Amino acid sequence: MLSQRLYHTPGPKRILALDGGGIRGALTLGFLEKMETILRERYQKPDFRICDYFDLIVGTSTGGIIAASLAIGMSAGEIRDMYLKLGGEIFGKKRSPWLRGETLRLMLSANYDHRPLEAALAETFGDMTMGDQERFKTGVAIMAKRIDTFSTWTINNFKEFKYYKYNKDILVRDWLRATSAAPTFFPAKEIKVKGKTTGVFIDGGVSLANNPALQGLLLATLNGYSLRWPLASDKLMLISVGTGGSRKFMTHEKLAKFRSISWASEIADIFMEDANYFNQTILQLLSDTPGMAPIDNALGNLEEDQAFGKRLTYRRYNVDMTPEALQQIVGRPFAESEAADLRKMDQAKNRFTLAEIGKQAAAQQIQADHLPLNFDV
C-alpha cells in the first residue's frame, strides 16, 4: 500500500529527481534505463521497475512527465519509446508568425500547438487523479509555477500532507500539462484549485525547481510536508538526473546587438543556470558522495567542506553539452553548431541523437555501487 510505504515502512529511503528540459528528456532516459538494468540484474527480476526501488520520484516539466510515468509502473524503456514516437508530434511544426494575425498572438501565447501533448497525456493517464492511491506505485511530486500568484506549487500524493485534500482530485494529465507549459513553447494551463479558484500555471522550470533535487530533499524531510524521513547519509539517498547542460558564453559583439526581445529569449536560461548551480552547491555540501563535479573554480566540488556535516548519500548524473564532452561520450567530432542545436529544448529531430548520448553517458558514468547495497529494498 502506497501510504504504508511512504509513512510506516522502516529502513533507508530513496529519492529520484528529474530535471526539466523539453525534448532533452530523451537523454535522461538513458540514465534511467541503465539504473533499471542494474537493479534487474541485482534482484534477478527481469520485470523490476524504477518504481519498485525509489520511494519518491520528483520531477519538473519533461522530468515531471517522466516521473509520473515511472510512478505508475512504466519501465524506462517504455517511456523512451513513447518519447521517440511522440516527440515529433509534440514539438511539431512551429507556428509561423507571418500568418495573418499571428504575430501579436504568438508574442503573447506560444509557438507550438498544445493539443498533441494533451492527447498523449490523456492516452497514458486517462482520468487518473494526483491523489490516486492505487495506480501510483510509489511517491510522486511534480512542480509547476502558479504565475497569477508568483508561487511555486508542488503537487504530491502524500495522503497526510495538509493540502492533499484540496489537490488530490486534480487530473494527472492537467498537472503534467501545467508543469510542461514552458513560456513561448506552450500556453499556460488553467486549473481549478480547492474546487473553485482558477489558478494559472506554467512550467515549473521558471523557478528554483527546474532541477528539483533540493525540493525533493525538502519534501522528504521537512515537517510541513508530512513524510519526515531521517536526514542521514546511511538512511537517505538522492539520485538526480539532468537533461544536459553547458555554461554559456557570449561575445561582446553579440551582446552589443542585444535588444529587449533578445534578453527576453535568454533570461529563462540565465535564471535556470543559476538555480541549477545553487541546488548543486547545497546538495554537495550536505552529501558524503565523492566524485562530484566542481561547482566553480573557487569552490571546487566541496568534498572537503563540512559546513552542515555529511547528511546525505547523493549522486548527480548529467551531460556537458560542449563539443569536447560530446566527442568523449559518443566517439565522434561535434561542431559547435551541432552541440548548440542539441542544447535546444524544442528540436524534436534531435531526440534520437539525445537518446543515444544518454545511453552512452550512462554506460560511462553509472556503476552498480552507486546504488549502495545498504539502500536495497
Side-chain angles (χ1 to χ4, degrees):
M1 185 176 176
L2 177 59
S3 186
Q4 179 73 19
R5 181 175 185 179
L6 292 177
Y7 291 103
H8 307 295
T9 303
K13 296 295 185 182
R14 301 152 294 266
I15 308 168
L16 176 65
L18 307 174
D19 286 15
I23 199 64
R24 294 195 332 235
L27 186 152
T28 298
L29 290 160
F31 291 102
L32 298 178
E33 283 193 272
K34 176 65 175 179
M35 279 188 264
E36 206 165 59
T37 297
I38 289 171
L39 293 169
R40 286 175 174 177
E41 292 174 353
R42 179 179 294 179
Y43 296 120
Q44 294 295 294
K45 294 181 179 179
D47 60 346
F48 196 86
R49 306 293 173 96
I50 290 286
C51 67
D52 297 322
Y53 185 77
F54 288 99
D55 303 290
L56 172 61
I57 307 176
V58 300
T60 301
S61 192
T62 194
I65 295 174
I66 297 172
S69 301
L70 292 171
I72 64 172
M74 293 180 69
S75 71
E78 289 171 335
I79 303 169
R80 179 206 60 217
D81 292 343
M82 179 178 71
Y83 259 65
L84 297 181
K85 176 184 176 183
L86 297 173
E89 299 174 20
I90 293 171
F91 287 106
K93 185 178 179 182
K94 243 182 184 180
R95 290 166 167 166
S96 171
W98 305 115
L99 297 177
R100 180 181 298 178
E102 284 284 280
T103 302
L104 180 59
R105 187 192 64 76
L106 284 180
M107 289 176 65
L108 299 175
S109 181
N111 290 334
Y112 293 99
D113 186 347
H114 60 281
R115 288 173 294 186
L117 173 59
E118 290 187 347
L121 294 173
E123 182 177 352
T124 301
F125 297 97
D127 291 331
M128 179 183 177
T129 65
M130 288 299 298
D132 194 314
Q133 296 291 300
E134 297 298 327
R135 195 171 173 196
F136 277 129
K137 310 302 181 186
T138 192
V140 67
I142 297 163
M143 294 71 176
K145 185 78 172 182
R146 185 173 174 183
I147 198 61
D148 56 319
T149 61
F150 288 81
S151 53
T152 302
W153 281 40
T154 303
I155 303 298
N156 58 61
N157 60 353
F158 311 163
K159 204 167 185 180
E160 295 181 21
F161 179 49
K162 61 183 176 181
Y163 290 110
Y164 174 83
K165 62 184 177 181
Y166 300 116
N167 301 328
K168 64 182 178 65
D169 294 326
I170 293 175
L171 293 175
V172 174
R173 66 173 190 252
D174 285 345
W175 192 244
L176 294 180
R177 238 294 271 135
T179 191
S180 307
T184 76
F185 287 177
F186 299 110
K189 178 67 176 176
E190 294 186 355
I191 296 178
K192 290 283 188 182
V193 295
K194 294 187 177 180
K196 53 184 179 179
T197 306
T198 298
V200 182
F201 295 90
I202 61 172
D203 194 319
V206 190
S207 72
L208 284 174
N210 188 64
N211 173 346
L214 180 58
Q215 183 63 27
L217 179 64
L218 300 179
L219 286 166
T221 58
L222 296 185
N223 285 331
Y225 291 117
S226 80
L227 295 182
R228 303 182 185 92
W229 293 345
L231 183 57
S233 61
D234 62 341
K235 296 184 182 300
L236 191 61
M237 178 173 67
L238 172 60
I239 303 292
S240 172
V241 186
T243 58
S246 175
R247 293 213 183 238
K248 298 178 69 172
F249 298 93
M250 291 190 189
T251 64
H252 292 179
E253 292 77 13
K254 182 175 181 179
L255 287 169
K257 297 176 182 178
F258 262 36
R259 299 293 182 266
S260 296
I261 193 67
S262 304
W263 281 112
S265 65
E266 294 289 340
I267 200 71
D269 279 350
I270 293 170
F271 182 79
M272 286 164 59
E273 189 77 2
D274 280 351
N276 179 55
Y277 280 92
F278 173 78
N279 286 345
Q280 281 289 91
T281 300
I282 299 301
L283 290 169
Q284 288 182 208
L285 274 174
L286 287 169
S287 72
D288 65 353
T289 307
M292 289 285 100
I295 299 297
D296 57 31
N297 292 337
L299 298 179
N301 66 2
L302 303 173
E303 192 171 350
E304 297 181 0
D305 284 280
Q306 299 288 329
F308 304 116
K310 303 307 184 182
R311 309 285 299 279
L312 177 70
T313 292
Y314 169 65
R315 289 279 180 182
R316 169 74 171 170
Y317 300 113
N318 205 6
V319 172
D320 185 2
M321 303 288 277
T322 61
E324 298 78 15
L326 290 171
Q327 181 173 351
Q328 288 185 350
I329 293 169
V330 180
R332 68 168 177 85
F334 282 78
E336 171 53 34
S337 58
E338 183 181 5
D341 194 58
L342 287 169
R343 291 194 291 266
K344 294 177 181 177
M345 294 185 287
D346 62 338
Q347 295 298 301
K349 69 181 188 297
N350 292 332
R351 63 194 186 277
F352 299 99
T353 302
L354 289 164
E356 182 60 26
I357 291 169
K359 178 180 177 181
Q360 296 292 339
Q364 296 173 23
Q365 293 185 32
I366 302 180
Q367 301 174 26
D369 63 2
H370 291 182
L371 303 172
L373 293 176
N374 67 293
F375 282 97
D376 274 10
V377 177

